[in-house]
């Protein structure tokens, strides 16, 4: 994350919708299957990974998103030091998981951009560009889905009905942000 160049340089506000990039936020991809993997991660994070599909778990410092039966995304709830890309939790997980062949820990901080959307028109915006049915999803706090938005792969974490974290690959983030601005201006 040294020399971090954020692609989204502004916060946009519309009637019923606010969009901003949250940075710098640490993001790690965790992969593993064994019970020992879950135990080692749980001890390192002082929280359990979600094991039910499309859910999340949170602690004071971290949130874990279920992505598949053997894959999770862990992200920090607080901003990290922008001048350093070494994370204590990553080093601890590598030592307790990767080095003992229980699973893999991959830093995806620079791979994904985290957009925070807030307001009452979030799901109205999503319905204009996604094939996913958000009717039940929007009422489940902590729900997670991987879907398409404007034909771009995204991960959506429903914090509550008026707050969503959206993860998009950095290479598509400017295009998605442009689409969100265009669509939000018409709501």
């Amino acid at each position: 994350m040294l020399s971090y160049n954020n692609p989204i340089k502004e916060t946009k506000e519309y009637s019923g919708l606010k969009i901003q990039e949250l940075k710098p936020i640490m993001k790690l991809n965790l992969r593993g299957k064994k019970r020992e993997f879950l135990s080692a991660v749980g001890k390192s994070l002082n929280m359990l990974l979600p094991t039910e599909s499309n859910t999340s778990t949170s602690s004071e410092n971290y949130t874990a998103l279920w992505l598949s039966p053997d894959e999770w995304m862990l992200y920090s709830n607080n901003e990290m030091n922008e001048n350093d890309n070494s994370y204590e939790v990553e080093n601890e997980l590598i030592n307790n998981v990767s080095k003992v062949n229980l699973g893999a820990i991959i830093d995806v901080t620079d791979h994904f951009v985290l957009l925070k959307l807030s307001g009452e028109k979030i799901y109205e915006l999503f319905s204009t560009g996604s094939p996913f049915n958000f009717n039940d999803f929007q009422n489940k706090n902590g729900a997670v889905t991987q879907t398409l938005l404007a034909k771009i792969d995204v991960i959506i974490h429903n914090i509550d009905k008026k707050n969503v974290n959206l993860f998009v690959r950095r290479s598509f983030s400017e295009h998605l942000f442009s689409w969100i601005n265009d669509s939000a201006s018409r709501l």
Side-chain angles (χ1 to χ4, degrees):
M1 192 150 72
L2 298 173
S3 301
Y4 181 82
N5 184 12
N6 59 316
I8 312 301
K9 297 178 180 15
E10 57 190 320
T11 296
K12 290 286 194 170
E13 290 192 47
Y14 299 94
S15 175
L17 189 62
K18 180 179 177 182
I19 307 122
Q20 66 186 43
E21 179 186 2
L22 294 183
K23 60 155 185 55
I25 300 293
M26 177 214 58
K27 302 166 207 83
L28 300 176
N29 183 276
L30 314 176
R31 300 289 304 247
K33 289 184 178 181
K34 299 177 182 175
R35 182 180 303 148
E36 294 85 4
F37 165 82
L38 293 171
S39 178
V41 170
K43 287 178 185 175
S44 296
L45 299 176
N46 201 22
M47 69 181 258
L48 296 174
L49 291 176
T51 54
E52 187 178 328
S53 63
N54 302 318
T55 60
S56 64
T57 57
S58 293
S59 69
E60 183 180 333
N61 296 317
Y62 306 106
T63 298
L65 309 178
W66 183 96
L67 300 179
S68 76
D70 67 346
E71 181 180 13
W72 295 263
M73 179 187 287
L74 178 75
Y75 70 93
S76 61
N77 295 337
N78 306 306
E79 289 186 8
M80 308 303 276
N81 181 356
E82 201 166 334
N83 298 318
D84 185 15
N85 62 347
S86 177
Y87 310 111
E88 184 179 318
V89 69
E90 178 187 17
N91 294 332
E92 187 172 340
L93 286 168
I94 287 171
N95 288 332
N96 295 336
V97 175
S98 293
K99 288 187 177 179
V100 293
N101 294 324
L102 293 176
I105 309 300
I106 301 150
D107 184 352
V108 293
T109 301
D110 291 336
H111 183 75
F112 285 99
V113 171
L114 171 54
L115 297 178
K116 176 156 184 75
L117 287 81
S118 53
E120 63 272 355
K121 292 189 177 180
I122 295 169
Y123 292 101
E124 193 176 328
L125 171 74
F126 287 168
S127 68
T128 64
S130 178
F132 187 76
N133 183 344
F134 289 100
N135 291 340
D136 292 333
F137 180 86
Q138 66 184 325
N139 296 315
K140 294 180 184 174
N141 292 353
V144 177
T145 189
Q146 298 176 75
T147 187
L148 296 175
L149 185 58
K151 299 182 181 180
I152 298 170
D153 291 321
V154 295
I155 301 169
I156 300 173
H157 178 218
N158 181 33
I159 298 168
D160 60 48
K161 195 166 185 159
K162 293 185 179 182
N163 291 290
V164 167
N165 284 338
L166 184 144
F167 297 87
V168 60
R169 285 177 176 74
R170 178 168 304 282
S171 57
F172 293 104
S173 62
E174 289 182 66
H175 176 71
L176 183 64
F177 191 70
S178 176
W179 176 86
I180 288 172
N181 284 319
D182 185 50
S183 297
S185 68
R186 300 175 196 193
L187 295 178

